[in-house]
Every structure is written in structure tokens, then in C-alpha cells.
Amino acid sequence: MRIEQLGDGEPEIAVVGGIHGDEPCGVRAVEQLIEREPDVDRPVKCIVANEEALERDVRYVDADLNRVFPGDPDSDAHEERLAASLLAELKGCTTLSMHSTQSYTGTFAVLADETLTLARSVCPYLTLDAAVDASAFTEGRLIEHAPVIEVECGYQGSEGATENASTIAREFLAALGALPGGEPHSEGVPLYRLTHLIPKSRAEAYDVPATNFERVAAGETYATVDGEALVADEPFYPVLMSPYGYEDEFGYSAEPAGRLGGTNAGDERDRSGYPG
């Protein structure tokens, strides 16, 4: 790991990129913070996590880092040791972890039961298309073990994802009082809850006409497998849906679950009272 600090004192805020070595957007956002050295009102820990995977331009070396938390410091697997070390570095910190996808050009937060309260305070201050409650699918992920807002920042390897990550990082620090400014979006952030995986059988060619976060009606084709249409039995909202992003599934089915923040939610910031 590369670890740098902005400001003086013991950090209670952290910004992390590079959980996956083939997702450079968060790394670039962290490096921009380090290079610009903004004056911060609260100290911030800046972390580039999986440097070895980044050097190899692979998602991981031995195991998916975001599936092996809390890790094992005595493991033979690089990522299991790294997971334990990263959790130790994040102790006492409210954290932003930045990722990218092969399915969506916009931005959305991924949450767990453990982070919903934090998300209701912070997500309205971030430029997000949506937030996703992934509580049923968080085994081994960082969001299950620390107060973390995980944000998918755009399409993997794109300049747009880097720009989004940089914006989200600044907004996150402003929301927690480390940087000046920051106002909540009056409309809040739409929240979806993942319900189940959408399986994908082995085939030569796939297509996904469904659009992430847009309702698929019952009877509508959401994907094709070797030209054969897959039709929805009931309405759902696709999340992380893509033809080739996952080996054994197209993505996830979700249902609407309200909003985070908004003019009627009564959310107020307490810049000194975030969980750490």
C-alpha cells in the first residue's frame, strides 16, 4: 500500500483507490489529492491499496481483495494479507472507496446494512445517479467491516471515471468537513435494493438491451444468449448488468427502496459526529 496524509493530526477520514488493480480511476483521484495538497480542516489518510495488482494491471494477484475481508495477516495469499493490513489502516476512519465497472458510465454508491446510516448522511452531498443496498451480497467486502461509502465511478479505464472519482473524492471530503463547501442535492439520491443475481449460461455471444437503473417490464427482453431472448417474468431494475462483466451472471435484479436525503428527509450534517 501507498499511504499519504493530508493535514496534521490523527486522521478520522480516509480516501482509498486501487482495491482492484484494473480500476485506475480511484488511484488517479487519490494521487491528485496527494499532488495538490489542499488545505484541509480535518486530516485525511490517502491510500492506494493493491499496488502489486496495479503494477500488473490485473484485478488481483491471488484473490479478489474486495471478497476476502477481514483478511488474514498470516495467509499465503497476497490479498488476504493486504485486507488485514488495510482494515488496520482504516480503523477509526470514515472512508470513501472508489471503483469502476464494465456496465455503467455514471456513478452510484454501494451500501450494506452496516453503512446505511452513514450513507444517509453523506450520499446526498455526492454526485450520484443512485445508491444500491447490496446487504444480501456483501460477504467479504470492505463495506461489511468498516464505515465505508463504496462508489462505482464509471466505465473501467475511462477518463470519465477518473473525472467522476476526483469529483466524488472532493465532495466526500467537503461532506465530512475536511474541505470547504458542499451542499446536499435537494432531490436526494434514489435507493435500490438488490434482490437476486441474474444467471448467465455458457454461450458464444451475449447482449444486454436492458439499461441499468431503468425499469424492465414483465415480458420485456433484458438479455440474449446466442441470439435467444431472455424475458423478464416480473418487473425489475437491472444493476451492474452487462454482457461480459461477470463470468456466470449478467448482473443483479433490484427493487426501489426510497431515497437517501432530499428536501423532505430532514438530513442535517454534523461534521464532527460521523462514525469512525
Side-chain angles (χ1 to χ4, degrees), residues 3-84:
I3 303 170
E4 305 281 352
Q5 181 170 326
L6 304 176
D8 299 321
E10 185 66 26
E12 295 179 346
I13 303 170
V15 179
V16 179
I19 291 284
H20 295 129
D22 58 355
E23 298 177 6
C25 64
V27 176
R28 292 170 183 162
V30 170
E31 290 174 342
Q32 286 173 8
L33 284 173
I34 294 170
E35 291 166 4
R36 293 170 181 170
E37 293 185 287
D39 291 330
V40 291
D41 295 325
R42 299 178 67 190
V44 178
K45 187 175 289 190
C46 300
I47 299 177
V48 175
N50 199 341
E51 290 187 292
E52 188 168 341
L54 284 162
E55 289 174 3
R56 301 187 190 187
D57 192 26
V58 294
R59 183 175 177 86
Y60 55 82
V61 177
D62 295 317
D64 189 326
L65 177 57
N66 209 25
R67 301 294 185 273
V68 297
F69 287 99
D72 179 355
D74 300 316
S75 173
D76 292 334
H78 165 68
E79 277 83 6
E80 291 189 5
R81 297 192 305 273
L82 182 58

Side-chain angles (χ1 to χ4, degrees), residues 23-208:
E23 298 177 6
C25 64
V27 176
R28 292 170 183 162
V30 170
E31 290 174 342
Q32 286 173 8
L33 284 173
I34 294 170
E35 291 166 4
R36 293 170 181 170
E37 293 185 287
D39 291 330
V40 291
D41 295 325
R42 299 178 67 190
V44 178
K45 187 175 289 190
C46 300
I47 299 177
V48 175
N50 199 341
E51 290 187 292
E52 188 168 341
L54 284 162
E55 289 174 3
R56 301 187 190 187
D57 192 26
V58 294
R59 183 175 177 86
Y60 55 82
V61 177
D62 295 317
D64 189 326
L65 177 57
N66 209 25
R67 301 294 185 273
V68 297
F69 287 99
D72 179 355
D74 300 316
S75 173
D76 292 334
H78 165 68
E79 277 83 6
E80 291 189 5
R81 297 192 305 273
L82 182 58
S85 298
L86 180 56
L87 268 188
E89 287 294 335
L90 297 179
K91 186 176 180 180
C93 290
T94 300
T95 300
L96 170 68
S97 178
M98 293 169 286
H99 295 258
S100 55
T101 78
Q102 295 185 37
S103 61
Y104 191 65
T105 59
T107 58
F108 63 95
V110 181
L111 319 170
D113 283 337
E114 295 83 354
T115 58
L116 276 174
T117 299
L118 173 64
R120 292 187 188 280
S121 297
V122 175
C123 284
Y125 294 84
L126 309 182
T127 302
L128 299 171
D129 296 334
V132 176
D133 179 356
S135 298
F137 303 93
T138 57
E139 183 176 0
R141 295 180 71 144
L142 179 59
I143 54 175
E144 195 176 47
H145 298 277
V148 175
I149 301 295
E150 184 177 290
V151 176
E152 301 287 354
C153 296
Y155 199 79
Q156 188 173 322
S158 69
E159 288 301 317
T162 296
E163 292 172 5
N164 290 340
S166 296
T167 297
I168 292 290
R170 292 193 303 270
E171 291 174 335
F172 179 78
L173 296 183
L176 270 66
L179 290 178
E183 294 296 333
H185 300 284
S186 60
E187 69 276 14
V189 180
L191 177 65
Y192 298 84
R193 182 180 298 110
L194 299 186
T195 58
H196 60 269
L197 287 166
I198 299 175
K200 181 173 72 174
S201 59
R202 295 299 175 94
E204 294 295 324
Y206 305 97
D207 186 38
V208 175

